[in-house]
Amino acid sequence: MTVSLLYHVEIMLRSAHIFCTVDQVESEIQAAFEFLDAVYKPFGFNYKVGLSTRNPNKWMGDLKVWDKAEASLRAVLEKRMPGQWKENPEDAAFYGPKVSSITFFRGIS
């Protein structure tokens, strides 16, 4: 009797929270994208990115910090993938803007 096994290998980066100062946002997000590329690209995975911005009815903190954080994230996304990301208005967490990604295998979108 011959038994054949099919192994399913999965790499999952479910979520990450990066806590940093406003001045560190750009460098930390750049480093996160470098990590994603190092892990995903060798296996042929690509990703699409969205920027979730502040909901005017559900947020806390300093508006100037929010504006700076959103501007910094936009700058990184535009530098890394000009025109290839989308904005998700009013979809941020109450404590700050977020960058979300959808990962897919090359050729499947």
Side-chain angles (χ1 to χ4, degrees):
M1 180 171 143
T2 304
V3 176
S4 176
L5 296 175
L6 175 64
Y7 290 95
H8 174 79
V9 178
E10 179 177 81
I11 299 172
M12 178 185 274
L13 176 61
R14 173 64 178 91
S15 67
H17 289 80
I18 299 173
F19 295 93
C20 59
T21 67
V22 177
D23 295 333
Q24 295 171 318
V25 171
E26 287 189 42
S27 63
E28 290 297 319
I29 296 303
Q30 280 285 15
F33 278 118
E34 289 168 10
F35 172 74
L36 281 176
D37 288 343
V39 173
Y40 288 156
K41 298 290 181 183
F43 296 102
F45 289 97
N46 292 313
Y47 51 88
K48 294 181 181 179
V49 177
L51 171 60
S52 297
T53 59
R54 182 177 58 87
N55 180 327
N57 300 313
K58 298 178 183 178
W59 67 281
M60 61 177 271
D62 184 338
L63 184 57
K64 290 180 184 179
V65 172
W66 270 88
D67 290 344
K68 170 79 169 135
E70 287 180 1
S72 295
L73 292 172
R74 279 188 190 95
V76 170
L77 294 175
E78 227 10 76
K79 184 177 181 180
R80 275 196 82 81
M81 48 192 69
Q84 298 176 3
W85 60 278
K86 69 174 192 161
E87 190 163 312
N88 302 317
E90 301 182 10
D91 191 43
F94 72 92
Y95 51 83
K98 62 183 177 181
V99 174
S100 55
S101 67
I102 299 171
T103 305
F104 56 92
F105 189 69
R106 184 178 299 141
I108 301 173
S109 58

